[in-house]
Amino acid sequence: MATKALLADLAQAYLAQTGVSVTIESVGGVDATKRVQAGEAFDVVLLAFDAMERLMASGHVQAGSRHDWVRSPVAVAVQAGAARPDLSDETALKTAVLASPTLSYSTGPSGVYLEKLFERWGIADQLKARIVVPPPGTPVGALVASGNAALGFQQLSELIALPGIEVLGTLPADVAFITTFSSGIPSVIANDAMRVAAVQSFLQFLASAGVEDVKRKQGMDWL
């Protein structure tokens, strides 16, 4: 979901440039992986690089077809008008987390990272009762905007356009987490040369220098 808005913009730009329409279905990474594993005949898969690696290892994505095309940092948000905690470094972030009555983070790679970070800090058990798990399809920012979570962590691209919140910035440099998103060609179309060629043309566009400004506007950048 972190790339949903960005891919919508890039699909429109690709249509304007080539006349070729690309239909993109954005779902959670876990759901997307399951559907690819079930054999749905998508032309291209775009997921976090570790998920793509697993799909290649299992044979569901063509070996060697993974291509990294964008990276996305994790950011922190509070409800609009709320106090803005200091997040200047790891120590300040830990203090802000411990002081927050409730917090929420995604179930994707960024959430896994945060859980490991809390474990390293030795506060994971202390935080368990404060964690607000976002329901399927509900962005962390929406929980922050409604006041259900005082502190929210999610990909910057999923926070910057949401009303009712203030984005405090990305995680401090000493504990920053950036997700690299990759593309891959599903094995179910690997023998269809015309389809593969069409996919490769779109993927070259996604990684081209001409779309860097579009990525930056969505809170992402190239490698």
Side-chain angles (χ1 to χ4, degrees):
M1 296 301 292
T3 60
K4 180 178 180 178
L6 173 61
L7 283 170
D9 288 348
L10 291 174
Q12 286 297 313
Y14 189 67
L15 175 63
Q17 179 174 306
T18 66
V20 177
S21 178
V22 180
T23 300
I24 298 170
E25 185 177 356
S26 294
V27 297
V30 173
D31 187 24
T33 298
K34 289 179 179 178
R35 292 173 64 178
V36 173
Q37 290 171 333
E40 287 195 48
F42 298 106
D43 293 313
V44 63
V45 183
L46 300 118
L47 286 167
F49 81 98
D50 54 339
M52 195 67 67
E53 285 288 305
R54 290 192 291 271
L55 287 174
M56 284 197 297
S58 64
H60 292 92
V61 168
Q62 186 178 1
S65 69
R66 195 199 101 195
H67 188 81
D68 301 337
W69 66 281
V70 76
R71 63 181 189 175
S72 174
V74 172
V76 189
V78 295
Q79 189 178 40
R84 299 171 62 92
D86 177 19
L87 302 178
S88 57
D89 56 25
E90 180 176 359
T91 300
L93 176 63
K94 181 180 178 180
T95 299
V97 168
L98 286 171
S100 182
T102 51
L103 57 152
S104 185
Y105 48 81
S106 77
T107 56
S110 59
V112 173
Y113 169 77
L114 285 166
E115 288 176 350
K116 292 180 179 178
L117 181 63
F118 297 157
E119 289 174 2
R120 179 166 68 80
W121 286 345
I123 63 173
D125 289 340
Q126 186 176 345
L127 296 178
K128 280 182 179 179
R130 308 186 204 175
I131 304 298
V132 181
V133 179
T138 301
V140 169
L143 296 176
V144 175
S146 66
N148 288 315
L151 201 62
F153 301 82
Q154 199 162 34
Q155 305 289 338
L156 176 60
S157 62
E158 295 183 77
L159 293 173
I160 55 176
L162 285 177
I165 66 173
E166 290 185 31
V167 179
L168 305 179
T170 57
L171 293 177
D174 45 1
V175 287
F177 182 77
I178 296 176
T179 299
T180 298
F181 287 94
S182 306
S183 61
I185 298 175
S187 297
V188 292
I189 72 158
N191 294 323
D192 188 331
M194 290 186 65
R195 288 177 77 181
V196 171
V199 168
Q200 289 175 335
S201 176
F202 177 61
L203 297 182
Q204 288 171 0
F205 173 79
L206 292 186
S208 65
V211 299
E212 288 181 359
D213 286 344
V214 180
K215 294 176 181 178
R216 293 191 185 101
K217 288 178 181 177
Q218 293 291 349
M220 298 186 178
D221 60 35
W222 179 223
L223 301 174

